[in-house]
Amino acid sequence: MGFFSSLFNTFFSSSSSPKTVSYSKSSPNKFDDDNDYYDSYPQLYSDLSDCNLNYSDYTFSGKFTKTGRMRTKRHIRIFKDEDVLYSIIKLGYEQPITYSREIPSSPSTAQLDYLYDLALDHGNSVPAVLSFYDASALISRYVDHDRIPNPELFHFADEMHISVSYYSGKRMLYDIVFAQLDELDRTAFFIFCVYRDIDHSVSGNLNRCRYKDLFYSFAESVKDDSKFHKSLDENYYGADLRFFGSKYSKSLGYSLSGGSKRTYAYKQAKEFLISHGLI
């Protein structure tokens, strides 16, 4: 149940010499997987040329409408498909407005050295273009033997303004999403995951699920139920919501444990689904 289990495994010293690892020549951002280990879903890529993040940070200056005064060196995070100027105006600014994109932090030497080793062990390539957080995500994906998530969960993160690298593995992405949602969204996401575990054909994006309003009605119904929230908080990390109970992995040769089906939170969610004819 590790929370961001290996996100910070990248901070260490290394005196090893540079590794011989091939870069993809067809696409500078491509994560080659010659052994098809991470073959659950296709790898997503951002439209950015210097990273594979779902956001960009900007520094801007503009006239603050309420005071009529200029404000400088302000910061805003823009997510995929959002317009920078429109987003600044929504914050209460008006022309004149200027803005510039901040360059993402580069990976450390230690990160790259470790990532090269991991990629080499798997017979894979390392993307030629990486940010610090991209490298952390790839390292975690290797170390945790994680897989590429359903792209619909990335779309959900985009829409909910949750900052991620598109190189995040499935467990890491669930952890990040679940940790950053507010209480109401978290509860709706939880029952959504309970339902998806039963009906696997459902979209991986809560916002695109036809039962979204019903899941939020459940969240509203338990918002003052301290027993429910205690059960949810004490028993589940995001990665536990990938599936519930246990399932056998053919590739690993043993059973994997998911979120518990014995908790008060799970039983309340399942009872709600039954009472509304969803299962």
Side-chain angles (χ1 to χ4, degrees), residues 25 43 45 100 119 132 161 195 204 242 276:
K25 295 181 179 179
Q43 174 65 58
Y45 298 101
S100 61
F132 177 90
H161 288 186
Y195 181 62
R242 294 170 297 144
H276 286 78

Side-chain angles (χ1 to χ4, degrees), residues 27-217:
S27 170
N29 286 341
K30 190 172 186 297
F31 175 73
D32 286 341
D33 181 27
D34 299 332
N35 295 332
D36 292 330
Y37 182 80
Y38 304 99
D39 59 355
S40 297
Y41 294 98
Q43 174 65 58
L44 289 188
Y45 298 101
S46 74
D47 296 327
L48 304 172
S49 62
D50 54 7
C51 67
N52 200 27
L53 304 173
N54 73 334
Y55 64 90
S56 287
D57 290 323
Y58 286 81
T59 299
F60 73 92
S61 300
K63 182 190 289 186
F64 192 55
T65 302
K66 284 186 178 180
T67 63
R69 295 182 178 180
M70 290 294 296
R71 291 185 176 181
T72 61
K73 296 182 179 179
R74 303 291 166 165
H75 300 276
I76 186 171
R77 178 160 290 183
I78 301 298
F79 287 82
K80 184 178 179 181
D81 298 329
E82 290 184 329
D83 181 78
V84 183
L85 182 58
Y86 177 72
S87 298
I88 294 172
I89 292 172
K90 280 179 63 179
L91 291 178
Y93 290 85
E94 62 184 54
Q95 295 288 4
I97 294 173
T98 59
Y99 57 86
S100 61
R101 182 173 175 268
E102 301 172 15
I103 304 302
S105 300
S106 300
S108 67
T109 301
Q111 276 184 306
L112 290 176
D113 205 37
Y114 189 30
L115 181 55
Y116 291 167
D117 278 336
L118 293 170
L120 189 61
D121 288 345
H122 289 78
N124 296 335
S125 300
V126 174
V129 176
L130 289 171
S131 71
F132 177 90
Y133 296 107
D134 291 326
S136 292
L138 278 176
I139 289 170
S140 293
R141 205 159 92 183
Y142 277 125
V143 172
D144 295 340
H145 304 289
D146 212 351
R147 293 185 177 272
I148 295 175
N150 186 330
E152 293 173 343
L153 186 57
F154 278 121
H155 299 330
F156 178 67
D158 296 341
E159 293 166 5
M160 300 303 287
H161 288 186
I162 296 174
S163 306
V164 296
S165 164
Y166 287 128
Y167 287 129
S168 298
K170 187 174 183 179
R171 278 178 287 195
M172 173 180 272
L173 183 57
Y174 268 91
D175 275 344
I176 293 173
V177 167
F178 196 55
Q180 293 194 36
L181 291 173
D182 64 28
E183 186 176 272
L184 193 69
D185 293 327
R186 232 168 140 252
T187 303
F189 185 72
F190 174 73
I191 190 172
F192 166 69
C193 290
V194 172
Y195 181 62
R196 282 196 76 235
D197 187 53
I198 298 167
D199 184 351
H200 301 293
S201 66
V202 175
S203 167
N205 183 345
L206 169 59
N207 290 335
R208 298 291 176 264
C209 180
R210 61 175 174 165
Y211 299 122
K212 174 186 175 180
D213 291 343
L214 196 59
F215 296 151
Y216 271 94
S217 71

